[in-house]
Amino acid sequence: MNESDSRLILKAENLKQHYHVKQGLLKPEVTVKAVDGISFNLEKGKTLAVVGESGCGKSTLGRMLTMIETPTEGRLAHLGEDLLTLTKDAQAKLRQKIQIIFQNPYGSLNPRKKIGSILEEPLVINTSLSKSERKEKALSIMEKVGLKAEHYDRYPHMFSGGQRQRIAIARGLMLDPNVIVADEPVSALDVSVQAQVLNLMMDLQDEFGLSYVFISHDLSVVEHIADDVMVMYLGKVVEQGSREQLFENPKHPYTLALLSSTPQLSPEKRRQRIKLEGELPSPLNPPSGCAFNGRCAYANDRCRSETPTLRLDSSEEQEQGHLIACHAVAEKRIGTLVEGAA
Amino acid sequence: MSLLQLENLSVSFGNFRAVDNISYKVEEGEVLGIVGESGSGKSVSSLSIMGLIDFPGKVSADQLTFDSQDLQAMPEKQRRKLTGSDIAMIFQDPMTSLNPCFTVGYQIIEALKTHQDGNKKELKARAIELLTQVGIPAPESRLGNYPHQLSGGMSQRVMIAMSIACDPRLLIADEPTTALDVTIQAQIIDLLVELQRKKQMGLVLITHDLALVAEVAHRVIVMYAGQIVESGPASEVFSTPKHPYTQALLASLPESASGKARLEALPGVVPGQYDRPLGCLLSPRCPYATDHCRKVEPANQGDLDRQVKCHTPLDSEGRPAA
């Protein structure tokens, strides 16, 4: 095992999650491809951000990584061990190492339990620590996330949104995980509290060498916290690369549109607005060919018939690992059209 | 004469002042942005303009006029005529502000019927025209749809269609895009600004998204714990904030930090009903607070065009004045 392999915490290959949906008594069953063939590598201490609009499959991906749902197809390996072929007991052990933080801190904490018992529950289930050892551990983690010892006996309703999200993070840390899947951890919070929680997450990453899978729709947050970024559209990855590649040299028309739609504070940073017509198509009835073709300014007949595959950006040799799924980029149609429009 | 003028408007629930002596005005054809964190009184202040504060809430103001008409003095009936036609409002969550039991067409026509005359056919034609204006494809077929058949962006377009049904002169949009995706948000904001320009409406855009306000608003008001702490032209407020709170808000945005550096987070949270401090409300969180700040509430400084509520407003370099 070489150096890069030992740093590899999570490896996903061609993950798929398909749901079968009944539409009615006489209508045929339809398959919804919520996640359709996603691959990535996550290294120790790094953050992978998953970006996309609602309905693009980012939360489903998070649920698969934490083994809340079993993928219909694909491979998922944690430190070289395949998570999907393990026995139930071994899976339960590995689950401890991949934890999740949910979006809504108002809904994800049991209102009838005190913070202490919320935090200790993972220990009760997974370890044989004694009561006093559990309390000691809970208090030490609470201190790490900036909660006071007197909060131990309080109920969730006594806390603000930012504090609740700290509790949720503390709960995720109780079992010393390697990976934390954060599903929109700051989107329910105000900007000043959002900054506090993002700082906390980055501090904890430094201290424990955590790897994050950071699911978000807020590109300015992603630009700040991510090492690698994956842009999803209707269950598929349309562009994948390092933060620099994606934010400084975005290629896919959807990424360009997302970036231009994000409001910018400083006038210099504002991009020319690329107007996207329409909305995300229904996953029950996705368009043929590229899923984005109905909203894309560069779509031609090939885009409407043939699904593009994720491939390396061929135009620039030095761009390592910048993957794009677009016919227009591969055929170099995009540069010319932009100039033509301007 | 300004379109809307408030002076020392307060809204209190029992002993708690959700909105505390705020004054501002909106001119015709102007976009005014109101920003602030949750609990700062943005929504309550706009609801009070619409006359939608119920018992036990109490609204009091030295002046509350719309187009030189005193909203407080006029009879209830007349005020109800005004709101909905001349002053309209768009709410945050389009999914829950439409009635799920009625079709979209019925709800738009209901708004039209209340304020305008016309037979069934004319009203329907007007409803179709409105839906076309807000960019809904195939509007005739959408009239028969129920809200659950529409996506979030579509529902918000329907809400906008309803609010502009009677050609309002002032439109209050309370977090119109918070529940929507960025690409849809861009569509809705473009639509609102385009309508505002075409009809020369006054638009009050309430949001917690500073960048959004920076892009579209002419003037901006920053609220904190029920008070206006800073107001002025949008470009000035965002480039050279005078109040420490505005400065801290801007600094806590991820885009202000370079690379993966720590964000400049403002410690603590907005004070609630029971933990309002003495003196300046920001003093427990303010990095520049002095003993004077903790005891005496600062007054508004500057004229109404560029105000700041601070004992030691910041200079152009972002340092507090001595």
Side-chain angles (χ1 to χ4, degrees):
Chain A
M1 204 184 250
N2 61 33
E3 171 76 18
S4 70
D5 275 354
S6 67
R7 290 189 59 80
L8 195 63
I9 294 271
L10 205 59
K11 186 180 174 70
E13 266 177 60
N14 203 21
L15 276 183
K16 287 184 183 174
Q17 180 67 273
H18 295 180
Y19 300 109
H20 299 286
V21 182
K22 289 199 178 114
Q23 286 194 307
L25 195 61
L26 296 173
K27 289 182 183 160
E29 242 186 37
V30 187
T31 309
V32 172
K33 297 177 175 174
V35 173
D36 197 21
I38 281 183
S39 311
F40 64 84
N41 296 328
L42 180 63
E43 287 181 12
K44 188 175 165 63
K46 296 280 184 191
T47 303
L48 170 76
V50 183
V51 192
E53 292 179 276
S54 43
C56 73
K58 35 188 214 304
S59 292
T60 307
L61 177 68
R63 294 166 69 88
M64 283 198 286
L65 296 182
T66 44
M67 289 179 280
I68 297 172
E69 283 178 28
T70 317
T72 32
E73 220 185 297
R75 267 171 49 83
L76 182 63
H78 173 260
L79 289 171
E81 266 182 293
D82 193 332
L83 292 174
L84 305 174
T85 55
L86 289 174
T87 59
K88 275 230 146 72
D89 285 349
Q91 271 199 359
K93 276 233 159 60
L94 264 178
R95 268 200 190 106
Q96 301 177 17
K97 294 294 167 197
I98 307 174
Q99 293 287 330
I100 188 163
I101 302 168
F102 293 99
Q103 168 168 13
N104 185 351
Y106 293 88
S108 61
L109 300 175
N110 188 340
R112 293 167 181 242
K113 283 190 168 172
K114 289 178 180 166
I115 303 311
S117 53
I118 288 175
L119 292 182
E120 283 172 25
E121 197 175 8
L123 296 178
V124 175
I125 295 167
N126 291 299
T127 66
S128 53
L129 295 178
S130 72
K131 204 173 171 191
S132 59
E133 284 170 327
R134 289 200 300 262
K135 180 163 184 183
E136 196 182 318
K137 171 98 187 174
L139 287 174
S140 78
I141 297 279
M142 279 169 71
E143 194 196 327
K144 288 259 166 22
V145 300
L147 292 168
K148 293 179 193 140
E150 70 237 36
H151 294 154
Y152 183 85
D153 283 320
R154 292 194 188 163
Y155 287 96
H157 74 263
M158 300 158 112
F159 293 92
S160 65
Q163 275 176 316
R164 283 177 204 227
Q165 207 56 304
R166 284 173 198 267
I167 296 166
I169 292 172
R171 177 174 58 183
L173 290 175
M174 287 306 287
L175 292 165
D176 305 314
N178 293 326
V179 180
I180 286 194
V181 178
D183 189 356
E184 307 255 11
V186 293
S187 52
L189 306 175
D190 277 319
V191 269
S192 71
V193 180
Q194 165 181 306
Q196 293 169 9
V197 171
L198 286 177
N199 278 344
L200 171 68
M201 287 184 71
M202 288 191 288
D203 291 346
L204 294 171
Q205 182 166 48
D206 286 344
E207 188 173 345
F208 297 108
L210 292 171
S211 305
Y212 290 130
V213 176
F214 193 93
I215 299 171
S216 178
H217 67 271
D218 188 336
L219 285 164
S220 56
V221 171
V222 165
E223 186 173 10
H224 182 68
I225 199 168
D227 295 297
D228 294 300
V229 186
M230 207 156 77
V231 183
M232 284 180 72
Y233 191 79
L234 219 65
K236 285 201 169 64
V237 174
V238 294
E239 188 162 2
Q240 189 171 0
S242 71
R243 176 183 48 175
E244 289 77 21
Q245 286 165 348
L246 246 122
F247 284 95
E248 273 152 40
N249 192 13
K251 288 273 167 70
H252 196 282
Y254 180 61
T255 317
L256 290 168
L258 266 188
L259 285 169
S260 77
S261 311
T262 308
Q264 291 289 340
L265 204 54
S266 54
E268 324 65 272
K269 272 179 107 180
R270 275 172 212 158
R271 296 159 196 263
Q272 172 143 28
R273 179 73 55 85
I274 301 168
K275 258 200 183 170
L276 274 191
E277 299 290 325
E279 303 176 12
L280 205 68
S282 161
L284 281 171
N285 184 20
S288 62
C290 174
F292 188 55
N293 72 45
R295 302 171 79 186
C296 180
Y298 308 102
N300 65 6
D301 287 342
R302 188 177 169 207
C303 300
R304 284 180 208 106
S305 57
E306 189 186 330
T307 311
T309 51
L310 202 60
R311 67 180 87 205
L312 269 177
D313 183 12
S314 54
S315 61
E316 279 159 79
E317 293 295 320
Q318 72 274 22
E319 299 251 3
Q320 288 295 308
H322 191 174
L323 299 163
I324 296 146
C326 180
H327 292 311
V329 172
E331 292 167 10
K332 307 206 163 117
R333 274 190 278 131
I334 277 193
T336 54
L337 256 174
V338 167
E339 280 153 29
Chain B
M1 193 64 204
S2 307
L3 192 58
L4 176 78
Q5 195 152 13
L6 316 180
E7 215 162 287
N8 292 332
L9 175 94
S10 297
V11 182
S12 44
F13 297 91
N15 287 328
F16 174 64
R17 277 200 169 174
V19 175
D20 192 4
N21 283 324
I22 65 169
S23 311
Y24 64 83
K25 51 185 182 184
V26 186
E27 309 287 343
E28 227 152 306
E30 179 185 55
V31 182
L32 173 75
I34 302 185
V35 290
E37 296 179 276
S38 39
S40 58
K42 318 185 286 288
S43 297
V44 175
S45 63
S46 56
L47 288 175
S48 67
I49 297 167
M50 295 292 288
L52 294 175
I53 299 286
D54 272 338
F55 181 81
K58 261 192 72 186
V59 183
S60 63
D62 293 348
Q63 198 188 4
L64 177 56
T65 54
F66 175 76
D67 195 24
S68 316
Q69 297 161 278
D70 191 343
L71 289 178
Q72 287 175 296
M74 71 171 59
E76 190 60 27
K77 236 183 170 172
Q78 199 187 340
R79 183 162 184 184
R80 290 204 56 149
K81 260 207 181 115
L82 202 65
T83 52
S85 58
D86 278 346
I87 314 175
M89 187 159 176
I90 304 168
F91 297 95
Q92 169 166 10
D93 191 349
M95 302 301 229
T96 53
S97 9
L98 289 171
N99 189 332
C101 304
F102 296 98
T103 62
V104 164
Y106 179 89
Q107 294 184 55
I108 297 176
I109 289 172
E110 186 188 13
L112 285 169
K113 255 198 234 159
T114 316
H115 297 285
Q116 289 173 3
D117 301 326
N119 61 31
K120 231 175 167 179
K121 216 169 146 194
E122 284 165 5
L123 289 173
K124 193 178 167 192
R126 176 89 175 113
I128 291 173
E129 188 196 320
L130 284 167
L131 288 183
T132 318
Q133 265 186 42
V134 296
I136 289 183
E140 298 87 355
S141 63
R142 285 294 180 186
L143 282 181
N145 277 169
Y146 285 90
H148 76 269
Q149 293 170 297
L150 304 176
S151 65
M154 280 290 172
S155 313
Q156 197 57 291
R157 282 174 196 268
V158 171
M159 287 295 294
I160 294 175
M162 281 165 75
S163 64
I164 61 166
C166 305
D167 284 319
R169 298 171 57 199
L170 177 70
L171 183 60
I172 302 174
D174 187 0
E175 307 255 13
T177 57
T178 308
L180 307 175
D181 281 315
V182 272
T183 58
I184 311 295
Q185 162 171 306
Q187 292 174 3
I188 296 288
I189 290 293
D190 284 352
L191 170 68
L192 275 176
V193 171
E194 192 194 309
L195 287 171
Q196 180 267 333
R197 265 193 216 129
K198 228 195 278 171
K199 298 179 188 280
Q200 277 300 300
M201 290 187 290
L203 176 65
V204 178
L205 182 67
I206 301 173
T207 175
H208 65 272
D209 189 337
L210 294 162
L212 186 65
V213 167
E215 282 198 355
V216 298
H218 303 134
R219 276 193 316 120
V220 59
I221 283 174
V222 184
M223 286 190 73
Y224 181 76
Q227 301 176 334
I228 292 179
V229 293
E230 184 166 2
S231 63
S235 52
E236 261 181 58
V237 171
F238 288 120
S239 60
T240 50
K242 284 192 175 175
H243 198 281
Y245 179 64
T246 319
Q247 186 191 40
L249 266 190
L250 292 171
S252 66
L253 290 179
E255 55 183 78
S256 316
S258 57
K260 269 192 120 178
R262 283 181 64 91
L263 296 169
E264 306 251 349
L266 193 66
V269 290
V270 182
Q273 183 169 359
Y274 303 108
D275 52 1
R276 291 242 162 134
L278 280 173
C280 174
L281 290 180
L282 187 69
S283 61
R285 304 175 76 187
C286 179
Y288 312 117
T290 60
D291 281 342
H292 186 56
C293 298
R294 289 183 199 101
K295 283 187 202 115
V296 185
E297 191 183 322
N300 274 317
Q301 297 189 21
D303 54 5
L304 207 55
D305 290 334
R306 184 90 175 87
Q307 267 194 335
V308 56
K309 191 180 171 72
C310 183
H311 288 303
T312 55
L314 307 173
D315 58 20
S316 56
E317 263 118 70
R319 284 185 306 250

